[in-house]
């Protein structure tokens, strides 16, 4: 009798549950008496205890999204347990080992409850969850799904508690549910009464295995949570350094540490920050963004060196720190098996080019690296634009149709007015019209009404020009481009 | 062994000083034994003759203009190195000359980089010329000269820029030499557009574009002079029809 008291207690008792359950919000903690009793010894013997959190609000998301949310919540559970396993809409963590440290299940629950709710709020999800704890993963999961906030210490008591659960907690498909219902099965204990061989035949081995796992009769493989990698390393300089060149060997050292870290984990990085700390000044951050994730020591160092060339530091440097902001999977290059087979030139080219552009960006800034783009527009000055290369990255342009009439390679930023003297046009020298006109009219609906006649012309010094005459306003002649 | 060699050098010196006639005879003897100049040249890898260079460049990239190919050593653009194109002003067909080359470079999925062009490069014209504009990069119109040179050098050193175009009116020979070496290292062709010729330039190829007739320019036709090319002896000029219509 004493034994059952120690191991199985209940919280605010719902009528159907009797012995074998402890409500978690029990005001009275397990007393020193119970600790001295045989219950404590049995707890140790019983093996692990699993605490399950079930989040039905995740059901409406697709699987990758659920996984993402669970990953974030798992970080909270890390406070109380080192073993966290993922399940559909649920997280289960091992808490037996931390019971003593936190002084009981209530303390653990308290430690988890608020942070999980906060995390759910942050993810803008409804902040509630169901929980339960018992010696098997599947068992605690089923209990949590049934919204029974129960704690069961001993395996022997599992059968009686789980038996009372409705078959809905198994989350079977519709057809199987109907068949179970037609067989007169309403609770799990009804299933246990059926012979397992025929059950396996009718419902597949999954269901039988699930029930076995719930009772602790079958092993439960888990997929454990691995915290995301973090890398941050600091180097305190023994003396103040004024010259950035002197810093390079030290940066070299830090970067080798970083590359070693990445290599060991088969990762690469595409964004890292190097912070330089000064005395009595705010630190300087150098953002190193890589177009292509990389872990090549040489190229990262070269980028850093390029960043250093333009950097002005407010004060001598006393410490240096590298933090990796973004980890990526490492993508190796595929080498052809036979050396003289077609080399994967394009892949090489892409990676080389990305490194090259990273280098240019580090030195000049992203705004100076441009790509030419066309715009569907009749007026020449609007038909082309320079875009920062970063903005168009990844957007594959569909091939555009070219205009029918010849167009010049150079366009002046602003058309230059030509001089008309005694019936002849002059730029630097006299101009002869070769062909034309090509009429371009557009924007008549706005104030910037454009009506022009374009001509191809030749200046006496040999320049091939693209000139136009306004048809509205003052009918002036302008030079707009060079056929180069 | 050591003593023997010391002795022999002593006797040689004493002979030369004492009797000049003997010395000449000695030299004559040696000449008769020694290999011919041809052999000497062939033996030394660092000595080469300009006229042989043309053959080495036989696999060059055609310019797309047969008359122009004919006056270039190797019948086309060099594989790497610097090319200077000199025209008294912009708009004399200097880009038109490069269009077939640019087209083939884009087809080889290499990139074209333009460094500090004088005006806005007009995208519809590039499309008209059959050049995929997504493989054309332009670096800053207003970057400083120092940065521009840095970009040119880096671009020439990288192997995936097939062509580096730059508009630099005056570069000292020292800089040109450096760029030429960079282009050789990266196996890239760099083209410098300029207004004035720079004698003694270390570039691989120097071209000048002129009007076909000095007073009366013709729209379609220009004169192209190869001022210097490795493997050429004298300047060659041809008339080139650069625009089809």
């Amino acid at each position: 009798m004493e034994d059952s008291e120690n191991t199985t207690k209940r919280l605010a008792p719902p009528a159907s549950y009797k012995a074998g359950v402890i409500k978690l919000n029990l005001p009275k903690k397990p007393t020193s008496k119970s600790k001295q009793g045989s219950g404590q010894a049995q707890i140790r013997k019983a093996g692990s205890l699993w605490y399950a959190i079930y989040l039905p609000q995740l059901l409406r998301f697709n699987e990758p999204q659920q996984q993402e949310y669970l990953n974030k919540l798992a970080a909270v559970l890390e406070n109380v347990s080192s073993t966290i396993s993922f399940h559909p809409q649920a997280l289960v963590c091992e808490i037996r080992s931390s019971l003593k440290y936190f002084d009981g299940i209530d303390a653990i629950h308290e430690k988890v409850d608020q942070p999980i709710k906060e995390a759910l709020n942050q993810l803008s999800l409804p902040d509630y969850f169901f929980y339960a704890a018992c010696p098997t993963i599947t068992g605690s999961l089923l209990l949590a799904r049934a919204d029974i906030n129960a704690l069961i210490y001993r395996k022997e008591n599992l059968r009686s508690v789980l038996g009372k659960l409705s078959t809905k907690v198994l989350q079977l498909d519709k057809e199987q549910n109907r068949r179970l219902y037609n067989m007169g099965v309403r609770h799990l204990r009804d299933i246990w009464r059926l012979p397992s061989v025929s059950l396996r035949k009718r419902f597949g081995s999954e269901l039988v295995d699930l029930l076995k796992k719930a009772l602790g009769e079958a092993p439960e493989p888990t997929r454990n949570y691995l915290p995301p990698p973090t890398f941050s390393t600091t180097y305190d300089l023994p003396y103040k350094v004024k010259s950035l060149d002197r810093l390079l060997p030290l940066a070299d050292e830090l970067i080798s540490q970083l590359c070693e870290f990445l290599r060991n984990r088969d990762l690469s990085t595409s964004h890292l920050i190097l912070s330089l700390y000064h005395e009595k000044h705010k630190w300087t951050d150098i953002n190193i963004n890589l177009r292509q994730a990389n872990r090549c020591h040489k190229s990262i160092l070269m980028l850093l060196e390029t960043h250093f060339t333009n950097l002005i530091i407010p004060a001598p440097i006393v410490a240096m720190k590298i933090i990796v902001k973004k980890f990526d999977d490492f993508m190796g290059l595929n080498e052809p098996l036979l050396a003289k087979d077609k080399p994967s030139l394009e892949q090489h080219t892409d990676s080389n080019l990305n490194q090259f552009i990273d280098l240019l960006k580090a030195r000049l800034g992203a705004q100076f690296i441009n790509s030419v783009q066309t715009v569907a527009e009749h007026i020449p000055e609007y038909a082309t634009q320079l875009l920062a290369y970063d903005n168009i990255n990844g957007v594959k342009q569909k091939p555009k149709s070219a205009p029918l009439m010849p167009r010049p390679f150079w366009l002046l930023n602003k058309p230059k007015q030509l001089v008309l003297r005694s019936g002849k046009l002059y730029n630097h020298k006299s101009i002869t019209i070769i062909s034309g006109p090509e009429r371009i009219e557009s924007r008549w609906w706005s104030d910037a009404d454009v009506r022009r006649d374009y001509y191809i012309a030749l200046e006496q010094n040999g320049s091939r020009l693209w000139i136009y005459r306004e048809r509205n306003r003052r009918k002036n002649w302008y030079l707009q481009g060079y056929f180069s | 062994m050591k003593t023997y060699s010391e002795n022999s050098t002593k006797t040689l010196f004493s002979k030369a000083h004492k009797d000049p006639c003997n010395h000449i005879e000695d030299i004559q003897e040696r000449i008769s034994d020694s290999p011919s100049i041809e052999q000497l040249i062939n033996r030394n890898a660092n000595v080469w003759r300009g006229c042989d260079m043309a053959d080495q460049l036989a696999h060059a990239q055609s310019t797309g203009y047969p008359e122009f190919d004919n006056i270039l050593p190797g019948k086309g653009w060099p594989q790497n190195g610097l090319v200077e194109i000199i025209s008294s002003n912009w708009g004399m067909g200097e880009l038109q000359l490069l269009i077939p080359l640019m087209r083939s470079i884009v087809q080889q999925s290499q990139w074209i980089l333009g460094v500090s062009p004088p005006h806005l490069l007009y995208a519809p014209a590039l499309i008209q010329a059959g050049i995929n504009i997504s493989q054309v990069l332009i670096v800053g119109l207003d970057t400083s000269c120092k940065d521009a040179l840095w970009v040119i050098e880096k671009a020439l050193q990288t192997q995936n820029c097939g062509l580096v175009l730059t508009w630099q009116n005056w570069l000292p020979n020292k800089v040109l030499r450096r760029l030429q070496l960079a282009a050789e290292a990266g196996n890239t062709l760099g083209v410098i557009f300029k207004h004035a010729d720079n004698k003694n330039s270390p570039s691989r190829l120097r071209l000048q574009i002129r009007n076909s007739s000095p007073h009366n320019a013709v729209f379609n036709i220009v004169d192209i002079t190869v001022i210097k090319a490795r493997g050429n002896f004298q300047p060659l000029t041809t008339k080139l029809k650069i625009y089809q219509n």
Side-chain angles (χ1 to χ4, degrees), chain A residues 230-271:
Chain A
T230 51
F231 181 86
S232 153
T233 177
T234 315
Y235 189 93
D236 288 320
L237 303 173
Y239 44 84
K240 291 179 201 167
V241 172
K242 279 182 192 168
S243 146
L244 286 168
D245 293 340
R246 295 234 177 129
L247 220 54
L248 274 176
L250 304 172
D252 188 11
E253 185 63 31
L254 290 189
I255 289 170
S256 0
Q257 279 179 32
L258 165 70
C259 292
E260 188 68 31
F261 176 90
L262 293 173
R263 248 195 312 279
N264 288 342
R265 283 162 184 76
D266 202 25
L267 291 169
S268 57
T269 175
S270 60
H271 183 194

Side-chain angles (χ1 to χ4, degrees), chain B residues 38-180:
Chain B
E38 282 292 327
Q39 282 169 322
L40 274 175
I41 288 173
N42 290 339
R43 206 184 288 164
N44 191 345
N46 292 326
V47 179
W48 47 266
R49 285 189 288 185
C51 52
D52 296 335
M53 289 297 286
D55 299 334
Q56 287 177 20
L57 300 170
H59 51 274
Q61 168 84 44
S62 165
T63 60
Y65 301 93
E67 306 91 337
F68 187 32
D69 280 349
N70 282 337
I71 59 165
L72 285 174
K75 310 277 178 223
W77 295 113
Q79 286 275 316
N80 55 34
L82 279 191
V83 175
E84 284 177 37
I85 297 182
I86 299 143
S87 58
S88 54
N89 37 295
W90 302 138
M92 292 187 67
E94 62 271 12
L95 263 182
Q96 190 69 31
L97 204 61
L98 288 170
I99 289 301
L101 176 70
M102 285 162 83
R103 216 179 286 145
S104 76
I105 277 171
V106 167
Q107 273 163 11
Q108 288 162 26
S109 74
Q110 283 189 313
W111 286 68
I112 297 171
L113 185 80
V115 183
S116 53
H119 304 293
L120 190 65
L121 198 59
Y122 194 48
L126 288 176
I127 292 177
Q128 253 178 1
I131 292 164
N132 182 3
I133 49 170
S134 61
Q135 273 162 271
V136 180
L137 276 184
I138 302 291
V139 172
L141 299 162
D142 45 0
T143 42
S144 71
C145 186
K146 199 176 147 200
D147 280 342
L149 287 178
W150 179 85
V151 172
I152 298 166
E153 191 182 7
K154 286 281 172 225
L156 287 171
Q157 279 168 352
T158 346
Q159 304 202 332
N160 39 28
C161 277
L163 186 63
V164 181
L165 307 176
T166 171
W167 290 263
Q168 300 289 335
N169 231 335
W170 190 84
L171 289 179
N173 283 345
K174 216 164 101 186
V175 173
L176 287 173
R177 169 92 185 131
R178 189 166 162 171
L179 294 181
Q180 166 72 27

Side-chain angles (χ1 to χ4, degrees), chain A residues 302 306 310 345-346 348-354 356-357 359-360 363-364 367-374 378-381 383-386 389 392 396-397 400-413 434 456-466 482-484, chain B residues 88-97 99 108-111 113 117-129 131 133-134 136-143 146-148 150-151 154-156 158-161 167 211 213-222 242-243 245:
Chain A
M302 194 156 76
T306 317
N310 287 349
L345 193 73
E346 220 161 282
H348 262 294
T349 308
D350 272 3
S351 72
N352 271 344
L353 187 81
N354 283 330
F356 173 59
I357 289 175
L359 208 61
L360 292 192
R363 169 94 180 211
L364 308 172
Q367 73 273 22
F368 286 116
I369 301 142
N370 296 313
S371 160
V372 228
Q373 296 291 311
T374 53
H378 289 294
I379 306 174
E381 55 260 45
T384 188
Q385 61 178 357
L386 279 180
Y389 183 71
I392 56 127
K396 283 272 171 200
Q397 279 233 328
K400 301 245 168 71
S401 58
L404 293 171
M405 303 298 281
R407 289 284 179 269
F409 283 115
W410 295 130
L411 207 69
L412 301 188
N413 286 331
I434 303 288
I456 297 169
L458 180 67
E459 202 176 332
Q460 211 194 355
N461 60 15
S463 287
R464 276 82 176 152
L465 313 177
W466 203 41
Y482 289 101
F483 289 87
S484 187
Chain B
S88 54
N89 37 295
W90 302 138
M92 292 187 67
E94 62 271 12
L95 263 182
Q96 190 69 31
L97 204 61
I99 289 301
Q108 288 162 26
S109 74
Q110 283 189 313
W111 286 68
L113 185 80
H119 304 293
L120 190 65
L121 198 59
Y122 194 48
L126 288 176
I127 292 177
Q128 253 178 1
I131 292 164
I133 49 170
S134 61
V136 180
L137 276 184
I138 302 291
V139 172
L141 299 162
D142 45 0
T143 42
K146 199 176 147 200
D147 280 342
W150 179 85
V151 172
K154 286 281 172 225
L156 287 171
T158 346
Q159 304 202 332
N160 39 28
C161 277
W167 290 263
N211 290 327
S213 57
H215 299 297
N216 207 4
V218 182
F219 186 80
N220 282 346
I221 296 168
V222 288
I242 51 167
Y243 297 104
N245 44 3

Side-chain angles (χ1 to χ4, degrees), chain A residues 274-314:
Chain A
L274 180 89
S275 310
L276 304 173
Y277 292 92
H278 316 288
E279 246 176 13
K280 297 177 190 168
H281 271 91
K282 208 176 164 254
W283 69 91
T284 316
D285 272 346
I286 302 173
N287 262 294
I288 301 178
N289 276 302
L290 299 153
R291 293 181 58 78
Q292 194 177 31
N294 195 338
R295 64 171 182 218
C296 171
H297 178 243
K298 205 175 125 195
S299 71
I300 295 177
L301 189 68
M302 194 156 76
L303 266 183
L304 191 67
E305 221 178 312
T306 317
H307 274 286
F308 276 174
T309 54
N310 287 349
L311 194 70
I312 297 160
I313 46 169

Side-chain angles (χ1 to χ4, degrees), chain A residues 17 24 50-57 87-93 109 128-134 136-152 158 161-162 165-166 168-171 188 214:
Chain A
Y17 301 106
L24 291 176
W50 297 89
Y51 177 76
I53 288 178
Y54 177 62
L55 302 145
Q57 60 268 52
H87 299 270
Q89 301 99 44
L91 288 167
V92 184
C93 64
H109 178 69
Y128 67 93
F129 62 92
F130 302 133
Y131 56 95
C134 82
T136 63
I137 297 175
T138 316
S140 56
L141 206 58
L142 293 180
L143 284 170
R145 278 184 196 162
D147 188 14
I148 299 170
N149 301 340
L151 166 68
I152 297 149
L158 268 176
V161 182
L162 290 174
L165 302 183
S166 145
K168 276 178 194 161
V169 298
L170 295 172
Q171 295 188 337
L188 293 191

